[in-house]
């Protein structure tokens, strides 16, 4: 039995979808704990491609229970479209549960998100425009609508009438937008409520019950460590806590019940939206990584910014999340390169800095200090064990593991499930603390 958290160790889009899909096979319950329809992964089922933003991909396994936890924000319109897509494929959605305490994204959240981004001009964050920040802001301001409010028709009418009139002042006076019609929004959301009612439960209780029955639970993080509201590159972050600690808060599970934390990182780095990115590559190399890695966002289609692997933020992710091991994805994207750089430290004002600076201003001033490694210039996409890898590729992985002082348990070399090297069992293999006590650097990559 193991309860495992999977998080993104960079700025999101690390390929968590594939890794959680791999691990979902041995999970009884998959729980999403934060974020909303800003996240997204592409799934191919029965030759048909579709995108999921909220529902964990574990829904495709008939015996896996999927839970959308309390720390998420739910856009019911998008969620219902996802349910429709899945059901059209003949796949049951009866194993989905939604936390009654999750907050609901309303039309005014989307409008305010988009209008405020426009108003920010040069100071924009580059949000996905899906209303995520304003939904979480209302949660903190205690004016939010929760799933359980949605289920109470009369209460919802009263609450929404007041809230929409209040939001209309902001829409009209601050952003020069037309007001929303309260009755129209209320009717629309009452319709959503009826469709979603069968799924809405006390999710924390369900998860606790599953833990007591010694079920295997996978807590699936969306976005990544550097987009965390508290620990990321603020203000260029999302409005929730993608870090491992967010899994406890976002599901109502105590930290003593977590057995493992697995971090997912690309073999290079990408970022969508605004904000500092020390190892960003302009020109041909950046384009090459973007096209070989198909680096376009699932939710917005935006082109991702690409750069070299940054071990400073990698080490930071190991620390902030207490990572037991790493999954390195998209190693094959580097196949053609003659040489590969890894940022080992930063230089700020002429001084070497080994740690991620918490100030965004300082982070903007960071110049990467690189170590250059030879490339392998041959395809790795058919490698299925460490022994199959070219020596330089193995050296590259060992170098990353040593820099970040955490073992690499999984290496991914392509989108399909079999393009994966399992170095050691990420769930039942030795925990990080034990590997440290051993003191052997070599053991950081191989079991
Ligand atoms: P928001 O979450 O839409 O408010 O956007 C805030 C920042 O997080 C922006 O830089 C987005 O590009 C980024 N972001 C949000 N969701 C994702 C994701 O799933 N992958 C990568 N970046 C994301």
């Amino acid at each position: 039995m193991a309860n495992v958290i999977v998080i993104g160790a960079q700025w999101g889009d690390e390929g968590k979808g594939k890794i959680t899909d791999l691990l979902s096979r041995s999970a009884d319950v998959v729980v999403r704990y934060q974020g909303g329809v800003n996240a997204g992964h592409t799934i191919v089922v029965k030759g048909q491609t579709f995108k999921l933003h909220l529902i964990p991909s574990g829904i495709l396994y008939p015996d896996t229970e999927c839970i959308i936890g309390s720390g998420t924000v739910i856009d019911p319109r998008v969620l219902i479209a996802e349910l429709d897509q899945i059901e059209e494929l003949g796949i049951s959605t009866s194993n989905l549960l939604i936390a009654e305490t999750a907050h609901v994204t309303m039309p005014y959240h989307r409008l305010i998100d988009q209008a405020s981004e426009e108003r920010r001009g040069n100071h924009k964050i580059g949000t996905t425009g899906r209303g995520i920040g304003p939904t979480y802001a209302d949660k903190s301001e205690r004016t939010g609508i929760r799933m359980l409010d949605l289920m109470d028709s009369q209460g919802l009418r009263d609450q929404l009438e007041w809230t929409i009139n209040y939001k209309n002042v902001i829409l009209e006076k601050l952003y020069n937008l037309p007001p929303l019609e309260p009755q129209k929004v209320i009717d629309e959301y009452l319709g959503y409520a009826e469709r979603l009612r069968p799924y809405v439960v006390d999710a924390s209780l369900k998860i606790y019950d599953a833990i007591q029955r010694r079920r295997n639970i996978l807590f699936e993080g969306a976005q990544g460590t550097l987009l965390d509201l508290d620990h990321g590159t603020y203000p260029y972050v999302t409005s929730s806590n993608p870090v491992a600690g967010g899994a406890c808060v976002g599901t109502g599970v105590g930290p003593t019940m977590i057995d493992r934390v697995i971090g997912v990182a690309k073999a290079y780095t990408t970022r969508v939206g605004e904000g500092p990115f020390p190892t960003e590559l302009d020109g041909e190399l950046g384009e090459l990584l973007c096209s070989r890695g198909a680096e376009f966002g699932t939710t917005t289609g935006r082109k991702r910014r690409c750069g070299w692997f940054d071990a400073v933020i990698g080490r930071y992710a190991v620390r902030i999340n207490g990572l037991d091991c790493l999954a390195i994805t998209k190693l094959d994207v580097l196949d053609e390169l003659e040489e590969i750089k890894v940022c080992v430290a930063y230089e700020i004002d002429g001084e070497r800095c080994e740690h991620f600076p918490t100030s965004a201003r300082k982070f903007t001033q960071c110049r990467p200090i690189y170590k250059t490694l030879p490339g392998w210039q041959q395809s790795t996409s058919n490698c299925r064990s460490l022994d199959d890898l070219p020596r330089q590729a193995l050296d590259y992985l060992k170098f990353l593991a040593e820099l970040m002082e955490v073992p690499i348990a999984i290496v991914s070399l392509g989108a399909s499930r079999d393009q994966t090297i399992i170095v050691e069992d990420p769930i039942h293999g030795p925990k990080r603390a034990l590997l440290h006590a051993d003191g052997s650097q070599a053991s950081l990559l191989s079991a």
Side-chain angles (χ1 to χ4, degrees):
M1 201 279 297
N3 299 325
V4 177
I5 302 173
V6 177
I7 60 95
Q10 296 159 321
W11 275 285
D13 309 314
E14 295 92 350
K16 291 183 295 296
K18 175 176 164 178
I19 304 301
T20 50
D21 178 54
L22 268 173
L23 300 175
S24 291
R25 279 186 282 184
S26 47
D28 301 302
V29 185
V30 181
V31 192
R32 169 91 185 266
Y33 60 84
Q34 46 70 230
V37 299
N38 47 352
H41 42 257
T42 307
I43 308 229
V44 182
V45 188
K46 297 181 181 168
Q48 225 179 308
T49 301
F50 62 92
K51 290 170 182 175
L52 290 181
H53 299 283
L54 268 169
I55 302 178
S57 55
I59 197 79
L60 305 176
Y61 297 98
D63 299 324
T64 306
E65 197 158 74
C66 290
I67 301 181
I68 302 177
S70 179
T72 62
V73 289
I74 296 175
D75 186 330
R77 212 181 38 153
V78 180
L79 177 57
I80 290 168
E82 286 183 21
L83 288 169
D84 288 345
Q85 279 188 82
I86 294 168
E87 284 170 359
E88 269 166 32
L89 288 167
I91 296 170
S92 167
T93 56
S94 61
N95 51 351
L96 177 72
L97 300 173
I98 303 169
E100 57 191 2
T101 44
H103 278 247
V104 180
T105 297
M106 304 297 298
Y108 47 80
H109 292 136
R110 285 191 299 270
L111 291 169
I112 292 174
D113 188 6
Q114 290 158 15
S116 74
E117 274 287 272
E118 210 177 300
R119 190 62 66 85
R120 280 167 181 266
N122 286 341
H123 299 281
K124 74 170 186 225
I125 292 162
T127 72
T128 58
R130 301 297 193 266
I132 305 301
T135 313
Y136 279 113
D138 278 5
K139 176 178 177 175
S140 299
E141 207 200 353
R142 291 148 297 174
T143 52
I145 310 283
R146 299 187 292 174
M147 288 305 291
L148 55 83
D149 301 319
L150 204 60
M151 299 300 127
D152 164 16
S153 313
Q154 192 48 51
L156 184 72
R157 279 180 207 284
D158 294 345
Q159 203 181 347
L160 270 185
E161 234 161 70
W162 179 86
T163 311
I164 294 173
N165 285 325
Y166 170 63
K167 296 292 175 186
N168 275 344
V169 178
I170 299 171
L171 292 174
E172 288 184 275
K173 301 268 188 282
L174 195 59
Y175 297 118
N176 292 323
L177 288 171
L180 290 165
E181 278 177 48
Q183 199 49 51
K184 222 173 137 190
V185 178
I186 292 167
D187 289 345
E188 181 188 341
Y189 274 69
L190 285 176
Y192 296 151
E194 285 324 301
R195 175 74 202 277
L196 296 177
R197 193 179 295 281
Y199 302 98
V200 178
V201 294
D202 178 344
S204 161
L205 189 60
K206 292 278 178 194
I207 300 167
Y208 190 66
D209 182 52
I211 291 171
Q212 285 193 312
R213 285 185 292 117
R214 306 188 74 75
R215 307 281 85 192
N216 294 306
I217 304 180
L218 180 67
F219 296 88
E220 176 182 334
Q223 290 90 42
T225 303
L226 275 296
L227 287 175
D228 186 274
L229 180 60
D230 288 82
H231 303 288
T233 47
Y234 191 91
Y236 301 102
V237 292
T238 190
S239 301
S240 64
N241 290 110
V243 296
C248 291
V249 181
T251 58
V253 165
T256 49
M257 297 181 189
I258 304 298
D259 298 294
R260 291 294 153 105
V261 185
I262 302 172
V264 185
K266 267 179 204 167
Y268 50 99
T269 313
T270 62
R271 173 164 207 175
V272 210
E274 306 301 315
F277 179 2
T279 63
E280 183 168 13
L281 286 165
D282 291 325
E284 253 178 56
L285 262 176
E287 288 297 324
L288 181 83
L289 292 181
C290 182
S291 67
R292 280 190 57 90
E295 298 294 357
F296 295 91
T298 312
T299 301
T300 58
R302 287 181 292 178
K303 192 171 166 183
R304 297 178 186 140
R305 299 153 68 192
C306 295
W308 296 121
F309 190 90
D310 184 336
V312 182
I313 66 163
R315 274 197 299 270
Y316 180 66
V318 170
R319 169 161 69 87
I320 290 290
N321 296 292
L323 295 187
D324 287 304
C325 64
L326 271 173
I328 296 288
T329 59
K330 293 191 156 187
L331 184 71
D332 58 301
V333 172
L334 306 179
D335 281 353
E336 283 181 7
L337 301 177
E338 208 172 311
E339 49 184 39
I340 300 166
K341 290 186 182 179
V342 175
C343 169
V344 294
Y346 301 138
E347 191 202 292
I348 311 176
D349 296 333
E351 288 198 15
R352 187 182 170 99
C353 172
E354 306 277 344
H355 300 288
F356 169 72
T358 41
S359 135
R361 196 185 51 79
K362 268 200 160 172
F363 193 51
T364 310
Q365 293 164 359
C366 285
R367 299 284 157 262
I369 299 173
Y370 286 118
K371 159 110 177 152
T372 304
L373 287 92
W376 42 94
Q377 296 188 285
Q378 53 182 292
S379 172
T380 55
S381 55
N382 292 324
C383 296
R384 296 293 176 268
S385 75
L386 290 182
D387 293 338
D388 294 343
L389 284 175
R391 187 183 48 78
Q392 296 90 335
L394 193 59
D395 287 347
Y396 180 68
L397 291 171
K398 278 189 174 160
F399 185 63
L400 299 190
E402 282 167 16
L403 272 176
M404 289 188 290
E405 298 180 0
V406 77
I408 293 172
I410 300 175
V411 182
S412 169
L413 307 141
S416 86
R417 278 183 187 167
D418 67 322
Q419 289 177 305
T420 310
I421 300 174
I422 306 287
V423 183
E424 65 175 304
D425 181 341
I427 296 176
H428 302 103
K431 276 183 78 78
R432 180 174 171 239
L434 297 177
L435 277 160
H436 266 221
D438 165 24
S440 153
Q441 292 284 294
S443 68
L444 287 174
L445 178 63
S446 53

